[in-house]
Amino acid sequence: MAGGNREPGRTVTSKVLAVLEAFEKSRGALSLTEIAEGSGLPLSTTHRLVAELTDWGFLSRSATGRYQLGIRVWELAQNTGRQLREAARPFVQDLFSLTGETSQLAVRAGNEVLYIERIYGTKRVPRASRVGGRLPMHATAVGKVILAYEEEWVRDAYLHRELEQATAHTHTNPRRLAQELVQIREQGYATTLEEVRLGSCSIAVPVFHTKRIGAGLGLVLASAQSATMTRHLPVLRGVSAQIERATAHIPLESLLGLSRR
């Protein structure tokens, strides 16, 4: 076994990424033993890699000896989708100012949506994600609207996956979801009701870039507002058009700055 780990042929890069991924799974401070267990690496290998990552600032060690992600990870993460985030931020702020509701912008990252900008309102609405957070596309309005306008092969591949059941209201039937995506393309927007968090609903419109889907722009509201949330469509569509115009000169791949495989 390469490097004395449990998996033959495992590279140093894969070991380092496994250590960092252990924190994604736990979302909290971890002991050295917990990092080893979470990464599937021997304790000796974990000790060496954690020490190096700490020296580089990718991990930090508390007074109790537990580790958490360091400031360098946050600094690097700020470059993800940076051009889109910086170009769109004033318009997302406008969306919040005009609606008073939690406003967000998300892009597709593999089979998930990645939130690159979010402005929270003061209303008590359950929070499902944060800037830099990810959620399944089929459970969110921004995800559904992106998926609806993606290429056919992307939709087909997604619908053949096992669809996560976030709540009892999440649409996980592939046939039903396929029909919903057709409806979203026809009406030009997507909605959800307690599909990712109980107590919340959402609505989203597409943000296009050179006639291709680039992102999803949406609002998150309390479930009690689900019957009237379409009243925000004129503002959502207007802000989407502004973002499209503001980013038209930037190549889509450069704009996103992340993998869409």
Side-chain angles (χ1 to χ4, degrees), residues 45-61:
T45 302
T46 303
H47 182 273
R48 175 175 55 82
L49 293 176
V50 165
E52 292 181 10
L53 287 168
T54 302
D55 288 342
W56 280 88
F58 288 98
L59 296 179
S60 63
R61 188 172 185 269

Side-chain angles (χ1 to χ4, degrees), residues 127-206:
R127 296 186 182 185
S129 190
R130 66 197 188 287
V131 173
R134 299 180 184 227
L135 286 173
M137 283 199 288
H138 66 279
T140 64
V142 285
K144 286 183 182 183
V145 83
I146 291 172
L147 191 58
Y149 285 94
E150 269 288 4
E151 296 178 71
E152 185 177 358
W153 70 268
V154 176
R155 294 195 301 274
D156 289 344
Y158 192 89
L159 292 172
H160 280 85
R161 299 174 62 252
E162 182 177 349
L163 302 179
E164 177 185 342
Q165 184 86 46
T167 74
H169 305 287
T170 310
H171 300 173
T172 58
N173 182 293
R175 182 173 297 179
R176 176 184 177 184
L177 184 56
Q179 293 172 344
E180 185 178 3
L181 296 178
V182 171
Q183 181 181 357
I184 290 169
R185 289 196 300 274
E186 290 176 350
Q187 65 190 19
Y189 67 91
T191 61
T192 65
L193 176 57
E194 299 190 331
E195 290 191 49
V196 71
R197 282 287 186 276
L198 297 180
S200 68
C201 61
S202 60
I203 184 169
V205 298

